Amino acid sequence: MAVASAMDLSPPTFFLSGTSSSSSSSYSSLRRLSSVSVSRYRRHSYHKLQLLCQATAGTEPQSGLSASGSKLAARSGQDRFLKVPISNIRNFSIIAHIDHGKSTLADKLLQVTGTVQNRDMKEQFLDNMDLERERGITIKLQAARMRYVFEDKPYCLNLIDTPGHVDFSYEVSRSLAACEGALLVVDASQGVEAQTLANVYLALENNLEIIPVLNKIDLPGAEPEKVLREIEEVIGLDCSKAIFCSAKEGIGITEILDAIVQRIPAPRDTAGNPLRALIFDSYYDPYRGVIVYFRVIDGKVKKGDRIFFMASGKDYFADEVGVLSPNQIQVDELYAGEVGYIAASVRSVADARVGDTITHYSRKAESSLPGYEEATPMVFCGLFPVDADQFPDLRDALEKLQLNDAALKFEPETSSAMGFGFRCGFLGLLHMEIVQERLEREYNLNLITTAPSVVYRVNTVNGDTTMCSNPSRLPDPGQRKSVEEPYVKIELLTPKEYIGALMELAQERRGEFKEMKYIAENRASILYELPLAEMVGDFFDQLKSRTKGYASMEYSVIGYRESDLIKLDILINAEMVEPLSTIVHRDKAYSVGRALTQKLKELIPRQMFKVPIQACIGSKVIASEALSAIRKDVLAKCYGGDISRKKKLLKKQAAGKKRMKAIGRVDVPQEAFMAVLKLEREVL
């Protein structure tokens, strides 16, 4: 059989049948599927098989491409900067739960379309940060332009990546708003997870065409037919045209590319309208300023245009316009439907926020694109350098990070225990961990992190409302009318044998039960509403440990609710220790106070006088411990004689201890603060 020419077929990958060793190994791995799925898979790929069985001879299993196929893909990839009609543009995203194969599938799409050459290829190609590779999640999203030939017509495929965590759900929503379709990737061995559901609902809100893709079908535990039923029952998607694939082995990649072309709609042809472009990401380049990633919704933009950011009200000249493939390549012009970047010497990420609309300064659009929000921090903590001399370095490092991350907020803070530092605001716990780890790795800082807290809304008696993220700034009880705390709606997906353990965990954290339903025969979805403050501690760790790692969770903030919250102070030798103050619910105040005082008793060194350690609500002591004094044996020199001599010495010692206690000061060691802060994360 003659090998087809480049114009006769799209870049080849290896298939189920044929004489090649890789094809036969792929078929043997697929024999584990049910007969229904195998027959459907054969029918779906038969027409490709006839043309490609010879081209795929000698295919390497890991690459998924033959030598001739690589050349064809490379040739197609070289032409990806050529313009195509708007009707031949496809903008899509990949949505999936963590570790369901999103990055691996993106790698394979880049490789099969010739966008990235085999010699340049590496795992998780679009994940540039070391942290992303270590954790296996996408923190900073990317975009890539690919070229694919289908039925003799060239198509431009724009993959817009999405971050992989609930903390960045706003960025995910903006990425999806820049697309017309999405690949829903589900692990064939694990099924639908919590984050899968959340991202699908975001995609449905944006009216995207969703293509179900079952990944990892080559695994021994894969149950594709069962997972298909789960998707249909839980999400309500029609899975009759679902695609079976293994991104690692290269199975089904061409079918996915064909489906993107056939099933995802083209952008609307609005190139003649005033310019409107949606920003879905931005980052700071030290030489060129802020680089903005955007999707052109209406109109055209070219190099030299004077552009206007509608939300921030700033205007700049576009010094550079280009496409992402996946590296930045300059072009002269981008029109409606295309995805690219602009460098305009923007000095601050805050001037070009995610979700903002770009238009022409001279011909402004009538209205901005919907959905813009300013990122508001939900979790706060204190960052202090272990070495006080590193305070200026910490400030410089935070300023540089803020250039790349407009959601990061910080202000100076002084602590009697830890010296000078910063009170920092983050989108969530993962965001906090990433910033802390980047500060330590990239800027060689050694940091102490206080227990995370949330933003409380305090209504005062004079009618004012203040936002409070630091216990030290909470108004006095006489001035407070009520205190409100943020609540989240949390969905827990778990095997049925762990339902009791998870309900117990949620009840302990002041959760309000809302709903429970079975999404499959042995898996359930539990819906709770609980305070965000109860979740920012070790909730996720407890969830995983109580379910042996099988449960998953997804949450969203639903607003503020009034709660009976109080400020818990810690007094050591009648002196308040401000860094250890916390805001807790009244019902939990005693247990938290008892745990903190007991821990401090273990950690603070004994003094020459008795040291009381107290947990107080206002002036009321609710928990107390005491460090006994180190007693000098003043009677050692008395080897007998009258008792009055001994009494005189003891009386003199008691008077000295009393005077020492009155003027004495207890130094709480750094290790004690760090241990107590760790304890606060566990008990709050």
Side-chain angles (χ1 to χ4, degrees):
M1 187 189 303
V3 180
S5 68
M7 296 305 292
D8 292 331
L9 52 105
S10 54
T13 184
F14 62 90
F15 290 90
L16 291 177
S17 304
T19 57
S20 70
S21 59
S22 59
S23 299
S24 59
S25 66
S26 303
Y27 179 70
S28 62
S29 67
L30 275 172
R31 289 180 65 184
R32 287 184 290 272
L33 297 175
S34 67
S35 58
V36 177
S37 59
V38 171
S39 61
R40 184 165 66 189
Y41 192 88
R42 283 173 170 165
R43 286 198 305 274
H44 192 59
S45 57
Y46 182 74
H47 68 286
K48 297 250 175 230
L49 175 62
Q50 298 301 317
L51 290 171
L52 295 177
C53 62
Q54 195 166 348
T56 54
T59 301
E60 297 177 14
Q62 293 303 317
S63 68
L65 283 174
S66 65
S68 59
S70 295
K71 290 178 183 176
L72 295 176
R75 198 177 309 145
S76 179
Q78 301 280 330
D79 299 332
R80 63 188 182 276
F81 307 118
L82 299 178
K83 295 290 185 182
V84 298
I86 294 178
S87 59
N88 286 16
I89 296 175
R90 300 290 184 269
N91 298 315
F92 71 99
S93 180
I94 304 175
I95 53 179
H97 190 76
I98 292 170
D99 201 32
H100 278 206
K102 180 163 75 85
S103 295
T104 310
L105 178 58
D107 291 349
K108 194 61 70 174
L109 292 175
L110 293 174
Q111 194 175 1
V112 167
T113 56
T115 308
V116 179
Q117 301 304 316
N118 288 340
R119 63 177 178 271
D120 301 323
M121 200 63 204
K122 58 185 178 183
E123 287 187 5
Q124 292 175 258
F125 187 87
L126 293 179
D127 295 341
N128 298 324
M129 293 166 55
D130 291 338
L131 271 174
E132 292 178 312
R133 296 176 175 279
E134 288 172 18
R135 290 173 177 255
I137 57 174
T138 302
I139 297 167
K140 197 70 177 167
L141 63 89
Q142 299 291 328
R145 179 185 178 118
M146 299 174 279
R147 187 180 179 86
Y148 184 65
V149 179
F150 178 75
E151 294 181 351
D152 298 345
K153 292 180 182 177
Y155 287 84
C156 172
L157 311 182
N158 290 310
L159 165 60
I160 300 174
D161 200 8
T162 57
H165 195 270
V166 64
D167 286 3
F168 308 109
S169 58
Y170 173 63
E171 282 85 346
V172 173
S173 72
R174 295 303 84 207
S175 295
L176 295 178
C179 301
E180 279 81 31
L183 300 177
L184 171 62
V185 178
V186 181
D187 189 327
S189 60
Q190 295 184 42
V192 176
E193 300 279 1
Q195 204 172 307
T196 314
L197 285 175
N199 288 340
V200 165
Y201 294 149
L202 276 176
L204 291 173
E205 285 174 16
N206 286 284
N207 297 317
L208 301 192
E209 176 68 33
I210 297 175
I211 302 173
V213 175
L214 262 65
N215 194 20
K216 304 186 183 181
I217 57 169
D218 57 316
L219 293 181
E223 298 177 296
E225 294 298 330
K226 178 183 173 184
V227 174
L228 281 183
R229 287 196 302 272
E230 204 171 286
I231 295 172
E232 289 181 340
E233 291 169 8
V234 178
I235 305 173
L237 289 177
D238 178 15
C239 292
S240 59
K241 295 182 180 179
I243 301 170
F244 296 111
C245 87
S246 169
K248 186 177 180 181
E249 297 294 334
I251 302 168
I253 304 301
T254 307
E255 281 74 12
I256 291 173
L257 289 166
D258 290 352
I260 290 169
V261 171
Q262 291 174 299
R263 292 159 63 179
I264 293 178
R268 292 183 300 116
D269 188 353
T270 54
N273 295 356
L275 173 66
R276 288 200 306 173
L278 174 67
I279 299 174
F280 61 82
D281 195 24
S282 61
Y283 75 95
Y284 186 81
D285 184 287
Y287 301 105
R288 298 184 292 167
V290 176
I291 308 298
V292 176
Y293 291 176
F294 66 96
R295 148 81 193 274
V296 184
I297 305 294
D298 302 321
K300 302 176 182 178
V301 61
K302 61 179 183 294
K303 183 179 178 180
D305 284 353
R306 189 177 183 184
I307 56 173
F308 181 74
F309 297 100
M310 298 185 75
S312 62
K314 303 293 175 98
D315 64 279
Y316 296 92
F317 285 96
D319 302 327
E320 189 181 319
V321 175
V323 296
L324 302 148
S325 190
N327 300 320
Q328 295 175 2
I329 307 294
Q330 291 192 46
V331 297
D332 295 328
E333 183 185 59
L334 293 173
Y335 50 76
E338 291 196 288
V339 175
Y341 73 92
I342 281 182
S345 302
V346 181
R347 289 174 289 279
S348 170
V349 174
D351 291 350
R353 291 181 182 274
V354 173
D356 200 350
T357 303
I358 302 173
T359 188
H360 281 131
Y361 185 79
S362 56
R363 190 191 176 198
K364 293 188 177 73
E366 293 181 4
S367 61
S368 58
L369 295 164
Y372 172 74
E373 293 176 16
E374 197 160 320
T376 53
M378 295 304 299
V379 175
F380 284 79
C381 78
L383 288 178
F384 296 88
V386 171
D387 183 359
D389 294 339
Q390 286 191 325
F391 175 74
D393 299 332
L394 175 59
R395 182 181 56 225
D396 293 343
L398 283 169
E399 286 172 353
K400 287 176 182 175
L401 272 187
Q402 196 177 43
L403 289 172
N404 280 299
D405 189 353
L408 173 64
K409 302 283 193 299
F410 64 91
E411 60 181 23
E413 183 181 33
T414 308
S415 165
S416 58
M418 289 170 281
F420 293 101
F422 292 93
R423 190 78 180 169
C424 303
F426 310 94
L427 295 172
L429 278 182
L430 179 76
H431 190 207
M432 184 182 85
E433 287 177 28
I434 290 164
V435 169
Q436 183 189 351
E437 203 157 339
R438 287 187 69 185
L439 287 170
E440 291 179 343
R441 284 189 186 191
E442 298 174 21
Y443 301 97
N444 298 317
L445 297 171
N446 197 2
L447 301 174
I448 302 169
T449 311
T450 64
S453 62
V454 300
V455 187
Y456 297 96
R457 192 155 65 193
V458 184
N459 301 312
T460 57
V461 290
N462 58 8
D464 294 336
T465 300
T466 58
M467 307 304 283
C468 176
S469 63
N470 195 337
S472 62
R473 296 187 180 178
L474 193 68
D476 295 331
Q479 298 177 358
R480 298 197 301 259
K481 182 181 178 183
S482 62
V483 182
E484 299 175 10
E485 62 179 333
Y487 263 69
V488 296
K489 180 173 73 174
I490 183 167
E491 185 173 20
L492 310 170
L493 265 65
T494 175
K496 63 181 180 182
E497 57 264 32
Y498 303 116
I499 291 173
L502 287 191
M503 292 183 80
E504 183 184 3
L505 173 64
Q507 295 294 142
E508 288 172 3
R509 304 303 175 97
R510 297 193 282 133
E512 297 177 14
F513 176 76
K514 290 297 177 184
E515 183 186 11
M516 185 178 78
K517 58 185 178 184
Y518 279 86
I519 61 173
E521 186 180 336
N522 61 342
R523 295 182 73 217
S525 165
I526 312 171
L527 205 63
Y528 269 91
E529 291 179 2
L530 54 81
L532 179 61
E534 298 285 348
M535 227 197 61
V536 297
D538 64 338
F539 186 90
F540 184 72
D541 296 337
Q542 287 287 327
L543 173 96
K544 288 297 183 183
S545 63
R546 294 191 187 200
T547 62
K548 300 179 182 177
Y550 284 108
S552 59
M553 60 174 261
E554 185 74 18
Y555 68 90
S556 58
V557 179
I558 56 175
Y560 279 79
R561 294 185 189 176
E562 186 176 330
S563 297
D564 188 7
L565 300 168
I566 48 94
K567 182 184 175 187
L568 182 68
D569 294 316
I570 300 295
L571 274 63
I572 298 176
N573 197 26
E575 283 189 23
M576 186 186 297
V577 185
E578 201 68 61
L580 298 181
S581 297
T582 54
I583 298 174
V584 297
H585 194 270
R586 192 178 295 275
D587 293 345
K588 297 186 73 175
Y590 174 75
S591 59
V592 174
R594 171 60 62 197
L596 292 178
T597 52
Q598 288 176 346
K599 192 69 175 179
L600 282 168
K601 183 181 178 181
E602 297 172 14
L603 297 168
I604 297 175
R606 289 171 66 192
Q607 310 292 316
M608 293 295 289
F609 51 91
K610 183 180 177 182
V611 179
I613 304 169
Q614 300 165 319
C616 305
I617 301 173
S619 58
K620 180 183 177 183
V621 178
I622 61 167
S624 179
E625 295 286 343
L627 277 175
S628 57
I630 300 174
R631 184 172 179 270
K632 181 182 176 183
D633 189 3
V634 293
L635 303 181
K637 59 186 176 181
C638 299
Y639 51 88
D642 191 19
I643 188 67
S644 60
R645 173 66 178 161
K646 295 180 181 179
K647 284 184 176 179
K648 183 180 178 182
L649 288 171
L650 290 170
K651 188 176 180 182
K652 186 178 179 182
Q653 183 188 41
K657 284 188 179 290
K658 186 177 180 182
R659 188 170 61 254
M660 189 187 293
K661 184 177 181 180
I663 62 173
R665 188 173 182 277
V666 181
D667 288 326
V668 182
Q670 195 89 46
E671 295 76 21
F673 276 104
M674 294 173 73
V676 171
L677 292 173
K678 185 179 178 183
L679 178 72
E680 281 185 3
R681 292 192 186 100
E682 296 170 2
V683 298
L684 287 179

